[in-house]
Amino acid sequence: MSDSSEKKHPWIIPSSPEGTAIVRHYRDGSSWVAVWDSTGLIKLDPALTEADTDLWIAPALFDLQVNGYAGTDFQKECNREALRRAAQALHSDGCQRALLTLITCPWDHMLQKVARLREVVQGDADLVRAFPGWHFEGPFLSDQPGFSGAHEPRWMSDPSPEQIRDLKTIVENDPVIMTFAPERKNSVEAIAGAVGCGFVVSFGHTDASAAQLHAAIEAGGRVFTHLGNGCPQKLDRHDNILWRVLDETKLTAGIIPDGDHVSPSLFRLLHRALGPSRVYWTTDAIAAAGAPNGRYSLGEIEFDVGPDRVARNPKTNSFAGSALEPIEGIRRGSRMLGLPWQKVWDYFSTQPAQVMSLPGELAPGSPAGFCLLRES
């Protein structure tokens, strides 16, 4: 592993509503002429000569798990102004698309929340671009200590295919990822139903046995939510959920690249074990991300964020989500892997898009959007 101490790190350059610039492509450093307007990238043509520029272009980041941002807690009633403020702050931090994430609560409340939020989002074209879909992390999770994480165990429940169909009626054809604990009763039937509805099925906050996990994968599950989290600090060294996930070959895992939720050494090991094509990065951000230090909510629970930018429950000192900005996730992940930022950018852009079967490549007219960056 190379020493990353001298590696350069990217900084987002705010782009004017329209413009033209000679840029370097994040993949190989080649020179291109980029033209954009208020709708996004409209031209990206090879430059006639090799240009001497420190301006780079890359697809915008895409976060599949954002519980809140810039002081806005998505678990609470969110009006258009609050959602626009969160979307604008995410955009400033390199992320032009995110899945609006709702966590464990009673199922009827979940349906009411998404119906209200969807009405707000659908009424604003900018919000539709910023929040193209949904992540439902709960309530079909493990209620066991450690595995329940920051979720409220009393609202955990077993899923049913009928509940999945009710959700489909509300979200229609919006992109959706659902996180399940496969050990819950009826989970295989519900997972198959979710896949049949066109949802992406993920696993997390689970202590599913190897057999339960395999059955859920056979039913169509193909992702794991923030691997290395949503489990107790102490695990059986011979048989635990980490080993079971890594022993499977069909799962793509989300990882939080902050160096706190997953230690740098485990971060590197997970990438080696899974391989570069089976990893994507996420912030799992709460309202504290993109906001000053202080106290913030995640639904019914409050968390403190101090100078170390870690969100902790003041009663238990446990983590809940993160205060990580997406571009900072790129910087930290780059340092932990000892790779230039250009080599890790896809973990937080094209690969999340691939998980959701959405466009993610850098191209004129693509809903993936683009970032202009300079190196520090």
Side-chain angles (χ1 to χ4, degrees), residues 34-162:
V35 182
W36 66 90
D37 63 15
S38 59
T39 67
L41 190 64
I42 56 176
K43 268 189 181 182
L44 188 64
D45 297 326
L48 296 179
T49 59
E50 194 70 18
D52 182 17
T53 178
D54 64 349
L55 189 63
W56 293 76
I57 192 168
L61 304 178
F62 185 7
D63 197 334
L64 300 190
Q65 194 171 6
V66 178
N67 310 282
Y69 210 83
T72 298
D73 180 2
F74 298 158
Q75 316 314 306
K76 297 184 175 179
E77 186 69 35
C78 290
N79 57 34
R80 182 172 300 174
E81 181 182 354
L83 288 178
R84 285 184 67 90
R85 184 170 61 248
Q88 289 165 2
L90 279 163
H91 194 291
S92 297
D93 290 326
C95 182
Q96 295 181 23
R97 293 183 296 174
L99 295 190
L100 199 156
T101 302
L102 296 176
I103 69 166
T104 297
C105 64
W107 184 247
D108 58 338
H109 293 183
M110 181 78 79
L111 296 182
Q112 292 166 12
K113 282 183 183 181
V114 69
R116 287 195 297 264
L117 283 165
R118 191 173 189 271
E119 184 177 3
V120 174
V121 170
Q122 291 294 317
D124 187 308
D126 289 337
L127 290 179
V128 171
R129 286 191 289 269
F131 301 114
W134 312 87
H135 185 155
F136 297 97
E137 191 190 15
F140 311 129
L141 310 176
S142 172
D143 59 2
Q144 297 304 301
F147 295 100
S148 59
H151 295 250
E152 178 53 65
R154 62 184 168 137
W155 301 130
M156 305 289 195
S157 60
D158 297 326
S160 71
E162 292 76 21

Side-chain angles (χ1 to χ4, degrees), residues 20 37 43 46 128 133 162-163 182 191 225 234 274 323 334 353 355 373:
T20 300
D37 63 15
K43 268 189 181 182
V128 171
E162 292 76 21
Q163 290 172 309
I191 288 166
T225 297
K234 295 183 178 180
L274 290 162
S334 167
V355 167
L373 309 105

Side-chain angles (χ1 to χ4, degrees), residues 84-327:
R84 285 184 67 90
R85 184 170 61 248
Q88 289 165 2
L90 279 163
H91 194 291
S92 297
D93 290 326
C95 182
Q96 295 181 23
R97 293 183 296 174
L99 295 190
L100 199 156
T101 302
L102 296 176
I103 69 166
T104 297
C105 64
W107 184 247
D108 58 338
H109 293 183
M110 181 78 79
L111 296 182
Q112 292 166 12
K113 282 183 183 181
V114 69
R116 287 195 297 264
L117 283 165
R118 191 173 189 271
E119 184 177 3
V120 174
V121 170
Q122 291 294 317
D124 187 308
D126 289 337
L127 290 179
V128 171
R129 286 191 289 269
F131 301 114
W134 312 87
H135 185 155
F136 297 97
E137 191 190 15
F140 311 129
L141 310 176
S142 172
D143 59 2
Q144 297 304 301
F147 295 100
S148 59
H151 295 250
E152 178 53 65
R154 62 184 168 137
W155 301 130
M156 305 289 195
S157 60
D158 297 326
S160 71
E162 292 76 21
Q163 290 172 309
I164 306 305
R165 289 195 291 270
D166 289 343
L167 179 60
K168 176 66 174 178
T169 299
I170 295 172
V171 300
E172 298 181 357
N173 293 320
D174 294 351
V176 168
I177 186 168
M178 293 191 75
T179 297
F180 290 85
E183 65 268 33
R184 296 216 70 113
K185 184 179 178 181
N186 302 324
S187 64
V188 169
E189 294 83 357
I191 288 166
V195 172
C197 287
F199 300 165
V200 175
V201 170
S202 186
F203 311 124
H205 292 277
T206 175
D207 191 25
S209 68
Q212 290 167 332
L213 184 62
H214 188 75
I217 293 170
E218 290 298 302
R222 56 188 178 89
V223 183
F224 200 92
T225 297
H226 52 51
L227 185 61
N229 305 116
C231 59
Q233 284 190 326
K234 295 183 178 180
L235 296 170
D236 188 308
R237 67 176 180 174
H238 297 296
D239 180 26
N240 62 65
I241 190 62
L242 287 176
W243 301 166
R244 295 170 211 147
V245 170
L246 294 176
D247 196 36
E248 292 287 348
T249 59
K250 296 181 180 179
L251 290 177
T252 296
I255 305 176
I256 302 172
D258 61 357
D260 298 310
H261 282 78
V262 174
S263 69
S265 58
L266 179 56
F267 189 79
R268 290 188 287 271
L269 289 168
L270 291 178
H271 283 75
R272 291 177 199 162
L274 290 162
S277 66
R278 292 174 55 209
V279 173
Y280 73 90
W281 293 355
T282 180
T283 60
D284 192 17
I286 66 170
N293 298 339
R295 178 161 290 191
Y296 295 90
S297 69
L298 179 62
E300 299 177 350
I301 308 174
E302 291 192 333
F303 296 90
D304 288 336
V305 175
D308 63 0
R309 298 297 293 162
V310 176
R312 291 185 175 89
N313 185 326
K315 295 180 180 178
T316 65
N317 205 40
S318 59
F319 292 178
S322 80
L324 182 69
E325 294 84 13
I327 188 62

